[in-house]
Amino acid sequence: MKDFMDAVAEAFGSYDDRTDSRDPGLNAVAAQFGITALKARKLLITAGVYSTSLSRQITRLKSEEVELELIIHITGLSRASVHSYLPYTKGPYRLDKLSANAERVRLYRERKNKCAEFSAELSALSAQEQETALWNMLVYLQGCVFLTAKGLKFTYQIRGGEMFVNRKSKSVTQATVFMAFRKAMELEGIVAGPKKLGTFGASYLYPIFERLGVIKKSH
């Protein structure tokens, strides 16, 4: 369970609304591990890497031994939401859940290493080799859950020379993917939003390129 929490915290980073003005990215990390945003928040609070005025208020109320029903009334949150702002305490865990979490950690580590290797090798490859390596990575990552800038979850499948996104009826061609990739490389990874890629399907390619390290994250 701790390995799972550590992996989620590693993927998330850290957030404190007293110093961070960006979106914390809670939904993105939840999608990456196939869990709810509520569970992701609870894990991150337990790990000590997520802090907001609301989380601090609930922690203070709990430390003052305020009853849960009163905390719900004070905050106006649902019972499930209040629980998501409280850290996990030690207790028995179902073996099937532990097994599922272990598999999520394994996949996260494996994918992270593959993406890091791809990003590190890019500069040493020719333009054609870069495109081949990129397409191989897209094949490898198909089926993963991604999040658009607007918070929409999506997955994709590669069939032949096309990318089929589950939210779009029209496919993104390999030529379009390479065009967007070249634009991101031209901008040296500093791409201020999907529109800067200037291609069809950019809203889907942008988060994939971020995962691959082609586009540098803004935080």
Side-chain angles (χ1 to χ4, degrees):
M1 191 65 183
K2 185 178 184 303
D3 286 343
F4 183 53
M5 180 181 71
D6 289 346
V8 173
E10 179 185 318
F12 177 78
S14 63
Y15 179 80
D16 189 322
D17 66 358
R18 290 168 294 192
T19 55
D20 288 311
S21 58
R22 61 182 172 85
D23 181 273
L26 195 62
N27 289 329
V29 76
Q32 189 171 347
F33 285 89
I35 57 178
T36 65
L38 294 185
K39 183 171 183 178
R41 179 162 54 212
K42 192 173 184 73
L43 285 165
L44 295 170
I45 286 174
T46 306
V49 296
Y50 180 95
S51 179
T52 65
S53 58
L54 188 54
S55 72
R56 293 189 293 274
Q57 179 190 22
I58 292 174
T59 297
R60 177 179 57 78
L61 291 171
K62 186 67 175 176
S63 68
E64 293 171 355
E65 300 184 351
V66 175
E67 294 291 331
L68 180 62
E69 294 301 328
L70 184 53
I71 295 177
I72 291 171
H73 175 73
I74 291 171
T75 60
L77 298 174
S78 67
R79 181 179 296 271
S81 290
V82 169
H83 276 297
S84 76
Y85 280 97
L86 297 172
Y88 280 105
T89 55
K90 290 183 179 180
Y93 298 105
R94 285 172 47 188
L95 288 178
D96 59 338
K97 285 191 174 181
L98 290 177
S99 178
N101 288 346
E103 178 62 10
R104 289 183 178 116
V105 172
R106 185 192 70 78
L107 285 173
Y108 164 72
R109 300 287 184 204
E110 182 182 288
R111 290 165 179 164
K112 181 184 177 184
N113 289 337
K114 287 271 190 182
C115 291
E117 288 171 8
F118 166 79
S119 180
E121 292 171 357
L122 266 185
S123 60
L125 302 177
S126 67
Q128 186 174 351
E129 288 172 334
Q130 286 180 343
E131 291 179 351
T132 299
L134 171 65
W135 195 254
N136 288 339
M137 284 302 299
L138 292 183
V139 172
Y140 172 71
L141 291 175
Q142 63 182 328
C144 294
V145 178
F146 293 90
L147 213 66
T148 68
K150 293 182 178 179
L152 301 175
K153 290 182 182 180
F154 73 93
T155 61
Y156 70 87
Q157 294 293 323
I158 299 294
R159 295 200 290 274
E162 297 175 281
M163 172 190 288
F164 293 85
V165 178
N166 67 328
R167 303 188 67 92
K168 296 284 283 186
S169 57
K170 187 178 178 183
S171 68
V172 181
T173 65
Q174 188 180 66
T176 300
V177 172
F178 291 160
M179 190 183 303
F181 171 69
R182 285 288 149 223
K183 185 64 178 178
M185 293 294 286
E186 179 188 317
L187 295 171
E188 298 182 341
I190 310 298
V191 187
K195 288 184 179 179
K196 293 294 183 181
L197 293 177
T199 62
F200 173 78
S203 58
Y204 302 109
L205 294 174
Y206 190 93
I208 296 171
F209 285 179
E210 268 197 331
R211 183 81 60 88
L212 289 170
V214 173
I215 290 176
K216 297 174 183 176
K217 294 187 178 182
S218 57
H219 55 274

